[in-house]
Amino acid sequence: MSHAPVLLAEAMDALALKAGGVYVDATFGGGGYSREMLARADCNVIAFDRDPDAIPRGAEMTAQAKGKFTLHQGRFGDLSPDEAVDGVVFDLGVSSFQLDEGARGFSFQADADLDMRMEREGNSAADAVNGLSEVALADLIYNYGEDDESRRIARTIVQARAAGPITRTLQLADIVERAVGGRKGARTHPATKTFQALRMLVNDELGELARGLSAAEGALKPGGRLAVVSFHSLEDRMVKRFIAERADAQGRGSRHTPDLPPERAPSFALERKRATAPSDEEVARNPRARSASLRWAVRTDAPAWDELEPPALATRAEAEWKKLS
Ligand SMILES: C[S@@+](CC[C@H](N)C(=O)[O-])C[C@H]1O[C@@H](n2cnc3c(N)ncnc32)[C@H](O)[C@@H]1O
């Protein structure tokens, strides 16, 4: 069991690693990015993962790197602006370890408790499935799963749970499949988007991404590089907007005062506007790379902007979720 790092060479090139540099691997996972950074340059790497299970995987690297590598259990949003680093890389989503260990409940490939908590704390996916109203479930599956069948799925979940709580991954996958039919010829299982939506809610993934991007902006030195690999359009849109707004030299005071000079100097410079997608060869080798996209930018010497607000999506589901917690 291992995790094949996605867009590895492309992300490393984006970081433009240099000897003596200090780099943050915001999402350690199986350590593929950290290992490559340490191999490519005589640099220091500070890594984070919010999942306690990821931490022992860094023990060997810590021993071999002789003080040049540290791994912290924690959220990347907690990265301190006092760090002053030369690069921050995010490889979002879940690792193959999390997916393959059925007991974590991230995958419908194995029967397990409907858990999905990266930190193993707080309310689980089962709490959401059994505790949210039908309207909130539909809101969640539509906005975070981007699934047009959200209402039908929510209705079927609510009907099913009237007979008893939904506690298992395969139970939920069957319910979703029953709601929408088999979707013949589809490349993905019909429950994929519902599982994604639940995972995002349970782990506050968009809120974390907003905090993480702002934390990186605060910690990067002038000339330092931000690189983000995302796996679905909601994340990618957030990253794209974050970078584009902060790199906009034409930025206006506001749309109501278009003639005013920019209020804030650009905190990033954009050298490549378009996202980088994996090669066909990588996708053939690693199907998980299929939806990946990399964006990167270079920090300027302007002060960091105000903290990014996550998009107000699935507001009904988020409000009910907060009450459950
Ligand atoms: C796709 S994997 C990273 C894989 C890694 N690049 C590699 O090559 O092995 C994503 C990892 O990020 C972690 N993660 C997700 N959100 C996080 C957050 N807010 N803070 C810290 N770690 C997070 C997950 O627990 C998971 O282990």
mmCIF file with all atom_site columns, all heavy atoms in Angstrom, residues 3 5 26-33 49-51 74-76 91-95 98 118 208 288, ligand 1:
data_model
loop_
_atom_site.group_PDB
_atom_site.id
_atom_site.type_symbol
_atom_site.label_atom_id
_atom_site.label_alt_id
_atom_site.label_comp_id
_atom_site.label_asym_id
_atom_site.label_entity_id
_atom_site.label_seq_id
_atom_site.pdbx_PDB_ins_code
_atom_site.Cartn_x
_atom_site.Cartn_y
_atom_site.Cartn_z
_atom_site.occupancy
_atom_site.B_iso_or_equiv
_atom_site.pdbx_formal_charge
_atom_site.auth_seq_id
_atom_site.auth_comp_id
_atom_site.auth_asym_id
_atom_site.auth_atom_id
_atom_site.pdbx_PDB_model_num
ATOM   1   N N   . HIS A 1 3   ? 1.123   5.673  -1.686  1.00 0.00 ? 3   HIS A N   1
ATOM   2   C CA  . HIS A 1 3   ? 0.410   6.765  -2.336  1.00 0.00 ? 3   HIS A CA  1
ATOM   3   C C   . HIS A 1 3   ? 1.273   7.260  -3.486  1.00 0.00 ? 3   HIS A C   1
ATOM   4   O O   . HIS A 1 3   ? 2.414   7.665  -3.279  1.00 0.00 ? 3   HIS A O   1
ATOM   5   C CB  . HIS A 1 3   ? 0.172   7.894  -1.323  1.00 0.00 ? 3   HIS A CB  1
ATOM   6   C CG  . HIS A 1 3   ? -0.491  9.083  -1.939  1.00 0.00 ? 3   HIS A CG  1
ATOM   7   N ND1 . HIS A 1 3   ? -1.854  9.272  -1.898  1.00 0.00 ? 3   HIS A ND1 1
ATOM   8   C CD2 . HIS A 1 3   ? 0.010   10.127 -2.630  1.00 0.00 ? 3   HIS A CD2 1
ATOM   9   C CE1 . HIS A 1 3   ? -2.154  10.386 -2.527  1.00 0.00 ? 3   HIS A CE1 1
ATOM   10  N NE2 . HIS A 1 3   ? -1.040  10.934 -2.981  1.00 0.00 ? 3   HIS A NE2 1
ATOM   11  N N   . PRO A 1 5   ? 2.323   10.020 -5.686  1.00 0.00 ? 5   PRO A N   1
ATOM   12  C CA  . PRO A 1 5   ? 2.128   11.475 -5.696  1.00 0.00 ? 5   PRO A CA  1
ATOM   13  C C   . PRO A 1 5   ? 1.675   11.946 -7.080  1.00 0.00 ? 5   PRO A C   1
ATOM   14  O O   . PRO A 1 5   ? 2.183   11.474 -8.095  1.00 0.00 ? 5   PRO A O   1
ATOM   15  C CB  . PRO A 1 5   ? 3.511   12.029 -5.364  1.00 0.00 ? 5   PRO A CB  1
ATOM   16  C CG  . PRO A 1 5   ? 4.315   10.891 -4.868  1.00 0.00 ? 5   PRO A CG  1
ATOM   17  C CD  . PRO A 1 5   ? 3.707   9.638  -5.412  1.00 0.00 ? 5   PRO A CD  1
ATOM   18  N N   . ALA A 1 26  ? 2.355   21.162 2.974   1.00 0.00 ? 26  ALA A N   1
ATOM   19  C CA  . ALA A 1 26  ? 1.165   21.374 3.812   1.00 0.00 ? 26  ALA A CA  1
ATOM   20  C C   . ALA A 1 26  ? 0.349   20.109 4.001   1.00 0.00 ? 26  ALA A C   1
ATOM   21  O O   . ALA A 1 26  ? -0.471  20.023 4.918   1.00 0.00 ? 26  ALA A O   1
ATOM   22  C CB  . ALA A 1 26  ? 0.300   22.470 3.183   1.00 0.00 ? 26  ALA A CB  1
ATOM   23  N N   . THR A 1 27  ? 0.564   19.120 3.134   1.00 0.00 ? 27  THR A N   1
ATOM   24  C CA  . THR A 1 27  ? -0.256  17.900 3.146   1.00 0.00 ? 27  THR A CA  1
ATOM   25  C C   . THR A 1 27  ? 0.657   16.681 2.986   1.00 0.00 ? 27  THR A C   1
ATOM   26  O O   . THR A 1 27  ? 0.787   16.148 1.882   1.00 0.00 ? 27  THR A O   1
ATOM   27  C CB  . THR A 1 27  ? -1.272  17.946 1.983   1.00 0.00 ? 27  THR A CB  1
ATOM   28  O OG1 . THR A 1 27  ? -0.536  18.244 0.768   1.00 0.00 ? 27  THR A OG1 1
ATOM   29  C CG2 . THR A 1 27  ? -2.337  19.004 2.175   1.00 0.00 ? 27  THR A CG2 1
ATOM   30  N N   . PHE A 1 28  ? 1.258   16.229 4.061   1.00 0.00 ? 28  PHE A N   1
ATOM   31  C CA  . PHE A 1 28  ? 2.300   15.191 3.998   1.00 0.00 ? 28  PHE A CA  1
ATOM   32  C C   . PHE A 1 28  ? 1.799   13.881 3.376   1.00 0.00 ? 28  PHE A C   1
ATOM   33  O O   . PHE A 1 28  ? 2.476   13.308 2.524   1.00 0.00 ? 28  PHE A O   1
ATOM   34  C CB  . PHE A 1 28  ? 2.837   14.940 5.408   1.00 0.00 ? 28  PHE A CB  1
ATOM   35  C CG  . PHE A 1 28  ? 3.907   13.897 5.459   1.00 0.00 ? 28  PHE A CG  1
ATOM   36  C CD1 . PHE A 1 28  ? 5.195   14.200 5.036   1.00 0.00 ? 28  PHE A CD1 1
ATOM   37  C CD2 . PHE A 1 28  ? 3.643   12.613 5.918   1.00 0.00 ? 28  PHE A CD2 1
ATOM   38  C CE1 . PHE A 1 28  ? 6.199   13.229 5.073   1.00 0.00 ? 28  PHE A CE1 1
ATOM   39  C CE2 . PHE A 1 28  ? 4.635   11.641 5.962   1.00 0.00 ? 28  PHE A CE2 1
ATOM   40  C CZ  . PHE A 1 28  ? 5.916   11.950 5.546   1.00 0.00 ? 28  PHE A CZ  1
ATOM   41  N N   . GLY A 1 29  ? 0.654   13.395 3.805   1.00 0.00 ? 29  GLY A N   1
ATOM   42  C CA  . GLY A 1 29  ? 0.079   12.147 3.242   1.00 0.00 ? 29  GLY A CA  1
ATOM   43  C C   . GLY A 1 29  ? 1.040   10.987 3.355   1.00 0.00 ? 29  GLY A C   1
ATOM   44  O O   . GLY A 1 29  ? 1.381   10.532 4.447   1.00 0.00 ? 29  GLY A O   1
ATOM   45  N N   . GLY A 1 30  ? 1.527   10.496 2.216   1.00 0.00 ? 30  GLY A N   1
ATOM   46  C CA  . GLY A 1 30  ? 2.522   9.421  2.216   1.00 0.00 ? 30  GLY A CA  1
ATOM   47  C C   . GLY A 1 30  ? 3.925   9.975  2.118   1.00 0.00 ? 30  GLY A C   1
ATOM   48  O O   . GLY A 1 30  ? 4.883   9.217  1.998   1.00 0.00 ? 30  GLY A O   1
ATOM   49  N N   . GLY A 1 31  ? 4.072   11.284 2.081   1.00 0.00 ? 31  GLY A N   1
ATOM   50  C CA  . GLY A 1 31  ? 5.392   11.910 2.104   1.00 0.00 ? 31  GLY A CA  1
ATOM   51  C C   . GLY A 1 31  ? 6.061   12.038 0.746   1.00 0.00 ? 31  GLY A C   1
ATOM   52  O O   . GLY A 1 31  ? 7.246   12.384 0.659   1.00 0.00 ? 31  GLY A O   1
ATOM   53  N N   . GLY A 1 32  ? 5.334   11.772 -0.332  1.00 0.00 ? 32  GLY A N   1
ATOM   54  C CA  . GLY A 1 32  ? 5.943   11.804 -1.664  1.00 0.00 ? 32  GLY A CA  1
ATOM   55  C C   . GLY A 1 32  ? 6.531   13.169 -2.016  1.00 0.00 ? 32  GLY A C   1
ATOM   56  O O   . GLY A 1 32  ? 7.631   13.248 -2.569  1.00 0.00 ? 32  GLY A O   1
ATOM   57  N N   . TYR A 1 33  ? 5.834   14.222 -1.690  1.00 0.00 ? 33  TYR A N   1
ATOM   58  C CA  . TYR A 1 33  ? 6.335   15.564 -2.010  1.00 0.00 ? 33  TYR A CA  1
ATOM   59  C C   . TYR A 1 33  ? 7.538   15.915 -1.134  1.00 0.00 ? 33  TYR A C   1
ATOM   60  O O   . TYR A 1 33  ? 8.532   16.443 -1.616  1.00 0.00 ? 33  TYR A O   1
ATOM   61  C CB  . TYR A 1 33  ? 5.233   16.619 -1.798  1.00 0.00 ? 33  TYR A CB  1
ATOM   62  C CG  . TYR A 1 33  ? 4.236   16.763 -2.925  1.00 0.00 ? 33  TYR A CG  1
ATOM   63  C CD1 . TYR A 1 33  ? 3.948   15.721 -3.799  1.00 0.00 ? 33  TYR A CD1 1
ATOM   64  C CD2 . TYR A 1 33  ? 3.557   17.967 -3.109  1.00 0.00 ? 33  TYR A CD2 1
ATOM   65  C CE1 . TYR A 1 33  ? 3.021   15.871 -4.812  1.00 0.00 ? 33  TYR A CE1 1
ATOM   66  C CE2 . TYR A 1 33  ? 2.635   18.130 -4.125  1.00 0.00 ? 33  TYR A CE2 1
ATOM   67  C CZ  . TYR A 1 33  ? 2.363   17.075 -4.972  1.00 0.00 ? 33  TYR A CZ  1
ATOM   68  O OH  . TYR A 1 33  ? 1.448   17.233 -5.977  1.00 0.00 ? 33  TYR A OH  1
ATOM   69  N N   . ASP A 1 49  ? 0.292   17.290 8.550   1.00 0.00 ? 49  ASP A N   1
ATOM   70  C CA  . ASP A 1 49  ? -0.880  16.505 8.159   1.00 0.00 ? 49  ASP A CA  1
ATOM   71  C C   . ASP A 1 49  ? -1.841  16.501 9.341   1.00 0.00 ? 49  ASP A C   1
ATOM   72  O O   . ASP A 1 49  ? -1.417  16.336 10.485  1.00 0.00 ? 49  ASP A O   1
ATOM   73  C CB  . ASP A 1 49  ? -0.524  15.069 7.744   1.00 0.00 ? 49  ASP A CB  1
ATOM   74  C CG  . ASP A 1 49  ? -1.592  14.487 6.819   1.00 0.00 ? 49  ASP A CG  1
ATOM   75  O OD1 . ASP A 1 49  ? -2.763  14.342 7.273   1.00 0.00 ? 49  ASP A OD1 1
ATOM   76  O OD2 . ASP A 1 49  ? -1.297  14.219 5.644   1.00 0.00 ? 49  ASP A OD2 1
ATOM   77  N N   . ARG A 1 50  ? -3.103  16.682 9.056   1.00 0.00 ? 50  ARG A N   1
ATOM   78  C CA  . ARG A 1 50  ? -4.078  16.720 10.161  1.00 0.00 ? 50  ARG A CA  1
ATOM   79  C C   . ARG A 1 50  ? -4.456  15.316 10.616  1.00 0.00 ? 50  ARG A C   1
ATOM   80  O O   . ARG A 1 50  ? -5.080  15.155 11.660  1.00 0.00 ? 50  ARG A O   1
ATOM   81  C CB  . ARG A 1 50  ? -5.295  17.541 9.744   1.00 0.00 ? 50  ARG A CB  1
ATOM   82  C CG  . ARG A 1 50  ? -6.189  16.892 8.726   1.00 0.00 ? 50  ARG A CG  1
ATOM   83  C CD  . ARG A 1 50  ? -7.191  17.865 8.140   1.00 0.00 ? 50  ARG A CD  1
ATOM   84  N NE  . ARG A 1 50  ? -8.289  18.157 9.048   1.00 0.00 ? 50  ARG A NE  1
ATOM   85  C CZ  . ARG A 1 50  ? -9.382  18.842 8.713   1.00 0.00 ? 50  ARG A CZ  1
ATOM   86  N NH1 . ARG A 1 50  ? -9.513  19.328 7.505   1.00 0.00 ? 50  ARG A NH1 1
ATOM   87  N NH2 . ARG A 1 50  ? -10.336 19.050 9.581   1.00 0.00 ? 50  ARG A NH2 1
ATOM   88  N N   . ASP A 1 51  ? -4.083  14.315 9.822   1.00 0.00 ? 51  ASP A N   1
ATOM   89  C CA  . ASP A 1 51  ? -4.461  12.939 10.142  1.00 0.00 ? 51  ASP A CA  1
ATOM   90  C C   . ASP A 1 51  ? -3.389  12.306 11.035  1.00 0.00 ? 51  ASP A C   1
ATOM   91  O O   . ASP A 1 51  ? -2.241  12.154 10.602  1.00 0.00 ? 51  ASP A O   1
ATOM   92  C CB  . ASP A 1 51  ? -4.582  12.157 8.830   1.00 0.00 ? 51  ASP A CB  1
ATOM   93  C CG  . ASP A 1 51  ? -5.072  10.733 9.054   1.00 0.00 ? 51  ASP A CG  1
ATOM   94  O OD1 . ASP A 1 51  ? -5.039  10.251 10.209  1.00 0.00 ? 51  ASP A OD1 1
ATOM   95  O OD2 . ASP A 1 51  ? -5.488  10.104 8.072   1.00 0.00 ? 51  ASP A OD2 1
ATOM   96  N N   . GLY A 1 74  ? -1.203  18.495 12.420  1.00 0.00 ? 74  GLY A N   1
ATOM   97  C CA  . GLY A 1 74  ? -1.982  19.723 12.554  1.00 0.00 ? 74  GLY A CA  1
ATOM   98  C C   . GLY A 1 74  ? -2.518  20.153 11.217  1.00 0.00 ? 74  GLY A C   1
ATOM   99  O O   . GLY A 1 74  ? -2.223  19.541 10.189  1.00 0.00 ? 74  GLY A O   1
ATOM   100 N N   . ARG A 1 75  ? -3.298  21.200 11.275  1.00 0.00 ? 75  ARG A N   1
ATOM   101 C CA  . ARG A 1 75  ? -3.933  21.695 10.047  1.00 0.00 ? 75  ARG A CA  1
ATOM   102 C C   . ARG A 1 75  ? -3.060  22.735 9.379   1.00 0.00 ? 75  ARG A C   1
ATOM   103 O O   . ARG A 1 75  ? -2.460  23.565 10.066  1.00 0.00 ? 75  ARG A O   1
ATOM   104 C CB  . ARG A 1 75  ? -5.266  22.344 10.388  1.00 0.00 ? 75  ARG A CB  1
ATOM   105 C CG  . ARG A 1 75  ? -6.216  21.393 11.039  1.00 0.00 ? 75  ARG A CG  1
ATOM   106 C CD  . ARG A 1 75  ? -7.505  22.098 11.290  1.00 0.00 ? 75  ARG A CD  1
ATOM   107 N NE  . ARG A 1 75  ? -8.417  21.215 11.999  1.00 0.00 ? 75  ARG A NE  1
ATOM   108 C CZ  . ARG A 1 75  ? -9.679  21.515 12.239  1.00 0.00 ? 75  ARG A CZ  1
ATOM   109 N NH1 . ARG A 1 75  ? -10.179 22.673 11.833  1.00 0.00 ? 75  ARG A NH1 1
ATOM   110 N NH2 . ARG A 1 75  ? -10.444 20.674 12.886  1.00 0.00 ? 75  ARG A NH2 1
ATOM   111 N N   . PHE A 1 76  ? -3.063  22.726 8.055   1.00 0.00 ? 76  PHE A N   1
ATOM   112 C CA  . PHE A 1 76  ? -2.213  23.701 7.360   1.00 0.00 ? 76  PHE A CA  1
ATOM   113 C C   . PHE A 1 76  ? -2.683  25.135 7.586   1.00 0.00 ? 76  PHE A C   1
ATOM   114 O O   . PHE A 1 76  ? -1.921  26.074 7.445   1.00 0.00 ? 76  PHE A O   1
ATOM   115 C CB  . PHE A 1 76  ? -2.031  23.357 5.887   1.00 0.00 ? 76  PHE A CB  1
ATOM   116 C CG  . PHE A 1 76  ? -3.274  23.065 5.082   1.00 0.00 ? 76  PHE A CG  1
ATOM   117 C CD1 . PHE A 1 76  ? -4.306  23.973 4.972   1.00 0.00 ? 76  PHE A CD1 1
ATOM   118 C CD2 . PHE A 1 76  ? -3.376  21.857 4.381   1.00 0.00 ? 76  PHE A CD2 1
ATOM   119 C CE1 . PHE A 1 76  ? -5.422  23.704 4.192   1.00 0.00 ? 76  PHE A CE1 1
ATOM   120 C CE2 . PHE A 1 76  ? -4.494  21.570 3.606   1.00 0.00 ? 76  PHE A CE2 1
ATOM   121 C CZ  . PHE A 1 76  ? -5.519  22.499 3.511   1.00 0.00 ? 76  PHE A CZ  1
ATOM   122 N N   . ASP A 1 91  ? -1.249  19.591 -1.590  1.00 0.00 ? 91  ASP A N   1
ATOM   123 C CA  . ASP A 1 91  ? -1.738  18.515 -2.458  1.00 0.00 ? 91  ASP A CA  1
ATOM   124 C C   . ASP A 1 91  ? -3.028  18.062 -1.778  1.00 0.00 ? 91  ASP A C   1
ATOM   125 O O   . ASP A 1 91  ? -3.000  17.245 -0.855  1.00 0.00 ? 91  ASP A O   1
ATOM   126 C CB  . ASP A 1 91  ? -0.662  17.411 -2.520  1.00 0.00 ? 91  ASP A CB  1
ATOM   127 C CG  . ASP A 1 91  ? -1.072  16.238 -3.372  1.00 0.00 ? 91  ASP A CG  1
ATOM   128 O OD1 . ASP A 1 91  ? -2.001  16.360 -4.178  1.00 0.00 ? 91  ASP A OD1 1
ATOM   129 O OD2 . ASP A 1 91  ? -0.433  15.173 -3.220  1.00 0.00 ? 91  ASP A OD2 1
ATOM   130 N N   . LEU A 1 92  ? -4.137  18.636 -2.212  1.00 0.00 ? 92  LEU A N   1
ATOM   131 C CA  . LEU A 1 92  ? -5.378  18.571 -1.422  1.00 0.00 ? 92  LEU A CA  1
ATOM   132 C C   . LEU A 1 92  ? -6.057  17.198 -1.475  1.00 0.00 ? 92  LEU A C   1
ATOM   133 O O   . LEU A 1 92  ? -5.673  16.335 -2.261  1.00 0.00 ? 92  LEU A O   1
ATOM   134 C CB  . LEU A 1 92  ? -6.331  19.661 -1.914  1.00 0.00 ? 92  LEU A CB  1
ATOM   135 C CG  . LEU A 1 92  ? -5.761  21.077 -1.781  1.00 0.00 ? 92  LEU A CG  1
ATOM   136 C CD1 . LEU A 1 92  ? -6.650  22.088 -2.499  1.00 0.00 ? 92  LEU A CD1 1
ATOM   137 C CD2 . LEU A 1 92  ? -5.609  21.470 -0.302  1.00 0.00 ? 92  LEU A CD2 1
ATOM   138 N N   . GLY A 1 93  ? -7.071  17.061 -0.654  1.00 0.00 ? 93  GLY A N   1
ATOM   139 C CA  . GLY A 1 93  ? -7.881  15.846 -0.697  1.00 0.00 ? 93  GLY A CA  1
ATOM   140 C C   . GLY A 1 93  ? -7.367  14.768 0.223   1.00 0.00 ? 93  GLY A C   1
ATOM   141 O O   . GLY A 1 93  ? -6.714  15.042 1.222   1.00 0.00 ? 93  GLY A O   1
ATOM   142 N N   . VAL A 1 94  ? -7.685  13.526 -0.132  1.00 0.00 ? 94  VAL A N   1
ATOM   143 C CA  . VAL A 1 94  ? -7.309  12.395 0.715   1.00 0.00 ? 94  VAL A CA  1
ATOM   144 C C   . VAL A 1 94  ? -6.166  11.621 0.075   1.00 0.00 ? 94  VAL A C   1
ATOM   145 O O   . VAL A 1 94  ? -5.967  11.678 -1.131  1.00 0.00 ? 94  VAL A O   1
ATOM   146 C CB  . VAL A 1 94  ? -8.499  11.434 0.951   1.00 0.00 ? 94  VAL A CB  1
ATOM   147 C CG1 . VAL A 1 94  ? -9.413  11.932 2.029   1.00 0.00 ? 94  VAL A CG1 1
ATOM   148 C CG2 . VAL A 1 94  ? -9.264  11.174 -0.324  1.00 0.00 ? 94  VAL A CG2 1
ATOM   149 N N   . SER A 1 95  ? -5.430  10.895 0.917   1.00 0.00 ? 95  SER A N   1
ATOM   150 C CA  . SER A 1 95  ? -4.340  10.071 0.397   1.00 0.00 ? 95  SER A CA  1
ATOM   151 C C   . SER A 1 95  ? -4.867  8.668  0.113   1.00 0.00 ? 95  SER A C   1
ATOM   152 O O   . SER A 1 95  ? -5.936  8.278  0.598   1.00 0.00 ? 95  SER A O   1
ATOM   153 C CB  . SER A 1 95  ? -3.205  9.990  1.421   1.00 0.00 ? 95  SER A CB  1
ATOM   154 O OG  . SER A 1 95  ? -3.604  9.191  2.514   1.00 0.00 ? 95  SER A OG  1
ATOM   155 N N   . GLN A 1 98  ? -5.640  6.787  3.232   1.00 0.00 ? 98  GLN A N   1
ATOM   156 C CA  . GLN A 1 98  ? -6.954  7.023  3.831   1.00 0.00 ? 98  GLN A CA  1
ATOM   157 C C   . GLN A 1 98  ? -8.040  6.270  3.057   1.00 0.00 ? 98  GLN A C   1
ATOM   158 O O   . GLN A 1 98  ? -8.950  5.694  3.649   1.00 0.00 ? 98  GLN A O   1
ATOM   159 C CB  . GLN A 1 98  ? -7.245  8.529  3.842   1.00 0.00 ? 98  GLN A CB  1
ATOM   160 C CG  . GLN A 1 98  ? -6.373  9.255  4.850   1.00 0.00 ? 98  GLN A CG  1
ATOM   161 C CD  . GLN A 1 98  ? -6.341  10.769 4.646   1.00 0.00 ? 98  GLN A CD  1
ATOM   162 O OE1 . GLN A 1 98  ? -6.427  11.257 3.527   1.00 0.00 ? 98  GLN A OE1 1
ATOM   163 N NE2 . GLN A 1 98  ? -6.213  11.499 5.730   1.00 0.00 ? 98  GLN A NE2 1
ATOM   164 N N   . MET A 1 118 ? -10.904 13.163 9.148   1.00 0.00 ? 118 MET A N   1
ATOM   165 C CA  . MET A 1 118 ? -9.448  13.088 8.969   1.00 0.00 ? 118 MET A CA  1
ATOM   166 C C   . MET A 1 118 ? -8.739  13.097 10.310  1.00 0.00 ? 118 MET A C   1
ATOM   167 O O   . MET A 1 118 ? -7.689  12.486 10.468  1.00 0.00 ? 118 MET A O   1
ATOM   168 C CB  . MET A 1 118 ? -8.962  14.261 8.131   1.00 0.00 ? 118 MET A CB  1
ATOM   169 C CG  . MET A 1 118 ? -9.311  14.145 6.667   1.00 0.00 ? 118 MET A CG  1
ATOM   170 S SD  . MET A 1 118 ? -8.513  15.453 5.729   1.00 0.00 ? 118 MET A SD  1
ATOM   171 C CE  . MET A 1 118 ? -9.294  15.244 4.147   1.00 0.00 ? 118 MET A CE  1
ATOM   172 N N   . GLU A 1 208 ? -10.939 25.207 5.539   1.00 0.00 ? 208 GLU A N   1
ATOM   173 C CA  . GLU A 1 208 ? -9.519  24.933 5.762   1.00 0.00 ? 208 GLU A CA  1
ATOM   174 C C   . GLU A 1 208 ? -8.666  25.461 4.613   1.00 0.00 ? 208 GLU A C   1
ATOM   175 O O   . GLU A 1 208 ? -7.596  26.023 4.827   1.00 0.00 ? 208 GLU A O   1
ATOM   176 C CB  . GLU A 1 208 ? -9.304  23.420 5.887   1.00 0.00 ? 208 GLU A CB  1
ATOM   177 C CG  . GLU A 1 208 ? -9.157  22.931 7.291   1.00 0.00 ? 208 GLU A CG  1
ATOM   178 C CD  . GLU A 1 208 ? -8.078  23.684 8.053   1.00 0.00 ? 208 GLU A CD  1
ATOM   179 O OE1 . GLU A 1 208 ? -6.907  23.633 7.672   1.00 0.00 ? 208 GLU A OE1 1
ATOM   180 O OE2 . GLU A 1 208 ? -8.417  24.348 9.042   1.00 0.00 ? 208 GLU A OE2 1
ATOM   181 N N   . ARG A 1 288 ? -6.157  8.221  -10.260 1.00 0.00 ? 288 ARG A N   1
ATOM   182 C CA  . ARG A 1 288 ? -6.499  9.244  -9.268  1.00 0.00 ? 288 ARG A CA  1
ATOM   183 C C   . ARG A 1 288 ? -6.074  10.649 -9.725  1.00 0.00 ? 288 ARG A C   1
ATOM   184 O O   . ARG A 1 288 ? -6.590  11.655 -9.262  1.00 0.00 ? 288 ARG A O   1
ATOM   185 C CB  . ARG A 1 288 ? -5.808  8.899  -7.938  1.00 0.00 ? 288 ARG A CB  1
ATOM   186 C CG  . ARG A 1 288 ? -6.559  9.332  -6.696  1.00 0.00 ? 288 ARG A CG  1
ATOM   187 C CD  . ARG A 1 288 ? -5.758  8.997  -5.444  1.00 0.00 ? 288 ARG A CD  1
ATOM   188 N NE  . ARG A 1 288 ? -4.592  9.857  -5.297  1.00 0.00 ? 288 ARG A NE  1
ATOM   189 C CZ  . ARG A 1 288 ? -4.625  11.080 -4.787  1.00 0.00 ? 288 ARG A CZ  1
ATOM   190 N NH1 . ARG A 1 288 ? -5.750  11.577 -4.345  1.00 0.00 ? 288 ARG A NH1 1
ATOM   191 N NH2 . ARG A 1 288 ? -3.534  11.800 -4.704  1.00 0.00 ? 288 ARG A NH2 1
HETATM 192 C C1  . LIG B 2 .   ? -3.463  13.857 -1.371  1.00 0.00 ? 1   LIG B C1  1
HETATM 193 S S1  . LIG B 2 .   ? -2.769  13.588 0.183   1.00 0.00 ? 1   LIG B S1  1
HETATM 194 C C2  . LIG B 2 .   ? -1.136  14.179 0.029   1.00 0.00 ? 1   LIG B C2  1
HETATM 195 C C3  . LIG B 2 .   ? -0.210  13.221 -0.622  1.00 0.00 ? 1   LIG B C3  1
HETATM 196 C C4  . LIG B 2 .   ? 1.247   13.618 -0.608  1.00 0.00 ? 1   LIG B C4  1
HETATM 197 N N1  . LIG B 2 .   ? 1.512   14.766 -1.454  1.00 0.00 ? 1   LIG B N1  1
HETATM 198 C C5  . LIG B 2 .   ? 2.126   12.461 -1.039  1.00 0.00 ? 1   LIG B C5  1
HETATM 199 O O1  . LIG B 2 .   ? 2.834   12.604 -2.037  1.00 0.00 ? 1   LIG B O1  1
HETATM 200 O O2  . LIG B 2 .   ? 2.098   11.414 -0.401  1.00 0.00 ? 1   LIG B O2  1
HETATM 201 C C6  . LIG B 2 .   ? -3.533  14.784 1.179   1.00 0.00 ? 1   LIG B C6  1
HETATM 202 C C7  . LIG B 2 .   ? -3.170  14.737 2.654   1.00 0.00 ? 1   LIG B C7  1
HETATM 203 O O3  . LIG B 2 .   ? -3.496  16.008 3.203   1.00 0.00 ? 1   LIG B O3  1
HETATM 204 C C8  . LIG B 2 .   ? -4.020  15.850 4.480   1.00 0.00 ? 1   LIG B C8  1
HETATM 205 N N2  . LIG B 2 .   ? -4.838  17.027 4.755   1.00 0.00 ? 1   LIG B N2  1
HETATM 206 C C9  . LIG B 2 .   ? -6.033  17.337 4.233   1.00 0.00 ? 1   LIG B C9  1
HETATM 207 N N3  . LIG B 2 .   ? -6.467  18.507 4.717   1.00 0.00 ? 1   LIG B N3  1
HETATM 208 C C10 . LIG B 2 .   ? -5.497  18.966 5.555   1.00 0.00 ? 1   LIG B C10 1
HETATM 209 C C11 . LIG B 2 .   ? -5.359  20.131 6.383   1.00 0.00 ? 1   LIG B C11 1
HETATM 210 N N4  . LIG B 2 .   ? -6.324  21.045 6.423   1.00 0.00 ? 1   LIG B N4  1
HETATM 211 N N5  . LIG B 2 .   ? -4.245  20.280 7.103   1.00 0.00 ? 1   LIG B N5  1
HETATM 212 C C12 . LIG B 2 .   ? -3.267  19.330 7.068   1.00 0.00 ? 1   LIG B C12 1
HETATM 213 N N6  . LIG B 2 .   ? -3.352  18.203 6.340   1.00 0.00 ? 1   LIG B N6  1
HETATM 214 C C13 . LIG B 2 .   ? -4.452  18.023 5.585   1.00 0.00 ? 1   LIG B C13 1
HETATM 215 C C14 . LIG B 2 .   ? -4.801  14.559 4.417   1.00 0.00 ? 1   LIG B C14 1
HETATM 216 O O4  . LIG B 2 .   ? -4.922  14.001 5.713   1.00 0.00 ? 1   LIG B O4  1
HETATM 217 C C15 . LIG B 2 .   ? -3.937  13.726 3.466   1.00 0.00 ? 1   LIG B C15 1
HETATM 218 O O5  . LIG B 2 .   ? -3.044  12.916 4.195   1.00 0.00 ? 1   LIG B O5  1
#
